[in-house]
Amino acid sequence: RSFQIRPIIEAARLRCLVHCVLQEVGLGADCVSFVFVDDQTMSDYHGRYADVPEPTDVLSFPVQERGPDGELNLGDVVICTDQAARQARRANQTYSFELEVLALHGLLHLLGYDHKKKKDFAKMKKIEDLILNKFYKKN
């Protein structure tokens, strides 16, 4: 069995993206976790937490609580690297860009944005576009 190891988003870029999002929404937070998994692991998570045993691109697990040290933990974002690679190919985007888009999308879910409600879809899309434009102008 062969394994393909894909590069993961650079930590400095991920920190910068998180900072850009938090600045845009006016929230200070100290902790958010990003976990990168393959199709099988994402299928397990998706089946366990959404009763859909197949891979998806990103899942968010909000916490939004303060630890004993007073730090605000937003929660966890789980990104499927296999799905990201497929989506990047279909959209003719780079794999790195797709990972950043998924990180942004998952982070917005942690902050309470929800695209499943029709009235919230446009709002979430607008803030995603705004943040991506700002992020890519900076970088």
Side-chain angles (χ1 to χ4, degrees):
R1 183 174 177 189
S2 66
F3 293 93
Q4 179 181 2
I5 298 173
R6 291 192 182 92
I8 300 298
I9 188 171
E10 294 176 31
R13 285 188 61 81
L14 187 56
R15 276 192 297 278
C16 186
L17 179 64
V18 170
H19 178 74
C20 187
V21 171
L22 296 178
Q23 191 173 40
E24 186 62 39
V25 300
L27 179 69
D30 302 297
C31 183
V32 59
S33 298
F34 291 89
V35 180
F36 297 89
V37 300
D38 63 9
D39 275 340
Q40 182 59 54
T41 305
M42 184 58 94
S43 292
D44 294 345
Y45 277 119
H46 205 198
R48 187 176 320 142
Y49 297 106
D51 205 26
V52 182
E54 59 190 43
T56 188
D57 53 2
V58 62
L59 289 172
S60 298
F61 299 94
V63 174
Q64 292 204 8
E65 65 184 22
R66 294 208 179 270
D69 54 4
E71 290 188 342
L72 177 61
N73 178 5
L74 290 178
D76 303 317
V77 176
V78 180
I79 297 172
C80 181
T81 58
D82 295 328
Q83 188 70 14
R86 286 189 292 273
Q87 288 174 188
R89 277 192 302 275
R90 279 194 303 268
N92 200 28
Q93 297 287 353
T94 66
Y95 175 67
S96 303
F97 178 79
E98 186 64 23
L99 287 177
E100 290 167 357
V101 168
L102 293 175
L104 167 60
H105 189 84
L107 181 56
L108 288 175
H109 277 306
L110 290 183
L111 295 170
Y113 290 88
D114 183 6
H115 55 80
K116 293 195 186 229
K117 299 175 188 164
K118 189 172 183 173
K119 68 181 180 89
D120 292 343
F121 179 83
K123 184 178 180 183
M124 188 170 178
K125 178 71 173 137
K126 183 178 176 183
I127 197 163
E128 281 180 337
D129 291 344
L130 176 77
I131 290 169
L132 284 173
N133 285 332
K134 283 185 176 186
F135 182 68
Y136 279 95
K137 281 183 186 172
K138 283 183 178 180
N139 296 293

